[in-house]
């Protein structure tokens, strides 16, 4: 399949590791470079332009390096680029495999505490944890389908004893879907217990499904157990081509940051970016044929 792939090199070591990953894509694909990142923001104040969004939306997939720069206040690049792409392209599943551990994370990718709702009033700051049935159910359904295909156990991770409203919704929908997937063993762990067991007994998990924040934290912990962030990659997907709002099936990226202290020194490990490129090709190969 000849595909149109958008490439956003990013900041710091991002361009280096993405350049190392491009040969994985092979010949025949059309590549479109998106120059979003710290340098353009500092020069022009622009993050993602409408032309950028159009180019990405009209591509089959996006390969992306990390964004972030100590010269830019926290959150501007991350929210203005990464989270905007996840939300506007409706990339509702964040998939993080750890083959060394035999473990797969399925993380809800558009809501939770990363929804952007809330505000600051002097000494009072509020981050709103948004969870809707639509988003929770589609993430959980994908996780059940993946677990069924892998003949694997599915573990819901949350904090239902404290986050009683969101937790109850996740548990309720998990129980509903479990009836549709009777062949999938289902378990539950509180997020803090899951962190402990990932360190002491990672083999107890096969597929972990969880919300945006817990998935972010626990998958990084798993990366530390599985060889480091330099080897961890993720896919941000809208896996259903029928409901997908644009042509772009997903954003594929290394999990690590921009590491500006080693940028340009030839020290960056491109393993995660190379894995992300392989994940991109694998996802494209599973797309239904068009007529």
């Amino acid at each position: 399949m000849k595909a149109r792939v958008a490439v956003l090199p990013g900041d710091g070591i991002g361009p280096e590791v993405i350049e190392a990953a491009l040969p994985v894509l092979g010949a025949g694909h059309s590549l479109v470079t998106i120059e979003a990142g710290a340098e353009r923001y500092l020069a022009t104040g622009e993050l993602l332009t409408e032309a950028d969004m159009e180019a990405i939306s009209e591509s089959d997939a996006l390969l992306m390096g990390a964004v972030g720069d100590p010269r830019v206040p926290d959150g501007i690049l991350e929210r203005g680029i990464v989270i905007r792409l996840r939300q506007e392209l409706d990339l509702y599943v964040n998939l993080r495999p750890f083959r060394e551990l035999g473990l797969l994370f399925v993380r809800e990718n558009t809501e939770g505490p990363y929804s952007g709702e809330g505000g600051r009033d002097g000494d009072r700051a509020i981050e709103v944890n948004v969870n809707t049935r639509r988003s929770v159910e589609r993430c959980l359904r994908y996780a059940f389908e993946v677990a069924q295909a892998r003949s694997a156990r599915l573990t819901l991770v949350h904090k239902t004893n404290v986050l009683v409203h969101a937790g109850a919704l996740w548990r309720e929908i998990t129980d509903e879907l479990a009836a549709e997937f009777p062949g999938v063993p289902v378990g539950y762990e509180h997020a803090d217990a899951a962190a402990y067991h990932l360190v002491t007994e990672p083999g107890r998990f096969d597929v972990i499904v969880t919300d945006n924040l817990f998935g972010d934290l626990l998958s990084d912990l798993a990366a530390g157990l599985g060889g480091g962030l330099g080897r961890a990659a993720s896919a941000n997907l809208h896996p259903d081509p029928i409901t997908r709002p644009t042509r772009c099936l997903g954003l594929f990226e290394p999990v690590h940051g921009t590491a500006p202290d080693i940028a340009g020194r030839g020290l960056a490990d491109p393993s995660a970016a190379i894995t992300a490129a392989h994940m991109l090709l694998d996802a494209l190969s599973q797309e239904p044929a068009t007529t």
Side-chain angles (χ1 to χ4, degrees):
M1 174 184 176
K2 293 184 178 180
R4 175 185 170 95
V5 179
V7 179
L8 197 163
D11 302 316
I13 63 171
E16 301 170 48
V17 298
I18 293 300
E19 182 178 3
L22 289 180
V24 171
L25 300 181
H29 298 302
S30 173
L31 303 183
V32 180
T33 301
I34 308 296
E35 298 290 356
E39 294 300 336
R40 185 167 74 180
Y41 174 76
L42 291 168
T44 68
E46 293 180 326
L47 293 165
L48 283 170
T49 66
E50 291 308 310
D52 293 334
M53 289 302 300
E54 182 177 356
I56 294 168
S57 296
E58 293 178 353
S59 297
D60 294 293
L62 169 63
L63 180 64
M64 180 173 169
V67 296
D69 191 290
R71 297 170 295 172
V72 180
D74 286 346
I76 290 178
L77 296 169
E78 295 82 359
R79 294 208 66 88
I81 298 177
V82 182
I83 293 181
R84 181 184 174 189
L85 287 168
R86 290 173 179 172
Q87 293 181 343
E88 292 196 17
L89 299 177
D90 201 22
L91 307 177
Y92 63 88
V93 165
N94 183 272
L95 200 62
R96 293 190 177 182
F98 297 95
R99 292 180 178 86
E100 300 87 349
L101 304 176
L103 172 63
L104 180 70
F105 275 86
V106 178
R107 164 189 169 195
E108 200 290 314
N109 210 31
T110 61
E111 292 188 340
Y114 295 4
S115 66
E117 296 192 24
R120 174 80 181 270
D121 181 11
D123 291 337
R124 192 166 189 255
I126 298 174
E127 302 285 352
V128 178
N129 183 4
V130 176
N131 297 262
T132 64
R133 171 170 281 274
R134 171 179 176 269
S135 292
V136 173
E137 182 172 354
R138 64 185 182 174
C139 176
L140 282 167
R141 182 174 294 279
Y142 180 84
F144 269 97
E145 291 171 350
V146 168
Q148 180 173 262
R150 290 164 57 105
S151 299
R153 175 180 175 83
L154 180 66
T155 303
L156 170 65
V157 170
H158 210 280
K159 193 68 176 163
T160 58
N161 59 336
V162 177
L163 303 177
V164 295
H165 306 301
L169 181 64
W170 279 83
R171 285 293 290 264
E172 176 184 312
I173 299 173
T174 298
D175 291 343
E176 292 171 2
L177 290 175
E180 295 184 30
F181 295 85
V184 176
V186 180
Y188 171 81
E189 289 208 11
H190 291 322
D192 47 348
Y196 173 79
H197 288 133
L198 277 169
V199 173
T200 61
E201 193 186 352
R204 71 190 284 145
F205 300 111
D206 295 316
V207 178
I208 290 177
V209 61
T210 188
D211 80 347
N212 212 332
L213 178 59
F214 295 140
D216 193 0
L217 301 178
L218 292 176
S219 61
D220 275 14
L221 186 152
L225 298 172
L229 283 173
R231 299 175 62 183
S234 73
N236 304 262
L237 303 171
H238 191 114
D240 186 351
I242 296 175
T243 62
R244 189 179 299 149
T246 72
R247 176 177 170 179
C248 186
L249 72 89
L251 182 169
F252 300 80
E253 61 181 341
V255 172
H256 60 69
T258 59
D261 57 319
I262 63 169
R265 298 172 57 190
L267 300 176
D269 182 353
S271 299
I274 290 170
T275 299
H278 281 293
M279 293 174 71
L280 185 155
L281 290 180
D282 184 59
L284 286 176
S285 72
Q286 296 179 45
E287 283 287 278
T290 57
T291 58

